């Protein structure tokens, strides 16, 4: 088995923790939908809005990471995602709830994409 460099281990660990944190709202979403009296199909809308924003914003995050540096984006991503999760949990209007879910998806993609870029930058032929 090939050994990972310390930088690659850090990136994998960071990505693991990030994915746990980014997905903490999913188990409570059905309860939130029921509590706020939203129709059942809004769960699909929440999921779709988050997924659509990850798709749409990934090229943007790549350009931003190249321009301003990967480390800054690795900080901005979780902070923005936390703001989105907080807004998602506190909003009581359907439009705002969808907006904050989409915002969360956008910033979650920043962390995922930049982690992949950093992984690629720290991988050489010996540890592929």
């Amino acid at each position: 088995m090939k050994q990972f460099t310390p930088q690659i281990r850090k990136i994998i660990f960071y990505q693991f923790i990030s994915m746990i944190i980014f997905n903490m709202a999913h188990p409570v979403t059905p309860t939130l939908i029921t509590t706020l009296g939203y129709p059942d199909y809004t769960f699909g809308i929440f999921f779709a809005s988050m997924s659509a924003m990850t798709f749409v914003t990934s090229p943007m995050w790549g350009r931003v990471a190249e321009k301003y540096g990967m480390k800054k984006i690795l900080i901005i991503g979780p902070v923005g995602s936390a703001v989105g999760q907080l807004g998602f949990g506190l909003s009581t209007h359907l439009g705002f709830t969808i907006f904050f879910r989409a915002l969360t998806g956008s910033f979650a993609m920043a962390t995922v994409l930049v982690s992949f870029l950093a992984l690629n930058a720290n991988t050489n032929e010996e540890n592929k």
Side-chain angles (χ1 to χ4, degrees):
M1 185 170 121
K2 298 177 184 178
Q3 296 295 317
F4 293 124
T5 64
Q7 293 88 357
I8 292 175
R9 279 192 219 118
K10 286 180 193 175
I11 294 166
I12 292 171
F13 178 74
Y14 181 77
Q15 189 66 18
F16 176 74
I17 297 299
S18 295
M19 289 301 105
I20 289 172
I21 292 168
F22 292 158
N23 290 299
M24 290 180 86
H26 294 304
V28 299
T29 301
T31 304
L32 179 75
I33 289 170
T34 304
T35 303
L36 295 175
Y38 296 157
D40 290 339
Y41 64 83
T42 54
F43 186 83
I45 293 172
F46 294 154
F47 185 78
S49 65
M50 186 174 183
S51 299
M53 286 306 288
T54 61
F55 176 75
V56 169
T57 60
S58 59
M60 177 201 72
W61 287 119
R63 286 190 300 274
V64 171
E66 286 177 357
K67 186 173 183 177
Y68 297 106
M70 288 187 244
K71 287 183 181 179
K72 291 179 183 174
I73 304 305
L74 285 174
I75 301 298
I76 291 170
V79 170
S81 184
V83 169
Q85 294 282 35
L86 184 64
F88 176 73
L90 296 177
S91 62
T92 56
H93 185 270
L94 181 59
F96 286 123
T97 310
I98 293 169
F99 168 78
F100 282 116
R101 201 69 188 142
L103 185 72
T104 301
S106 174
F107 281 99
M109 179 46 68
T111 305
V112 172
L113 182 74
V114 173
S115 292
F116 288 150
L117 291 173
L119 200 66
N120 187 40
N122 288 295
T123 302
N124 55 32
E125 286 299 319
E126 294 174 5
N127 55 7
K128 281 189 178 178

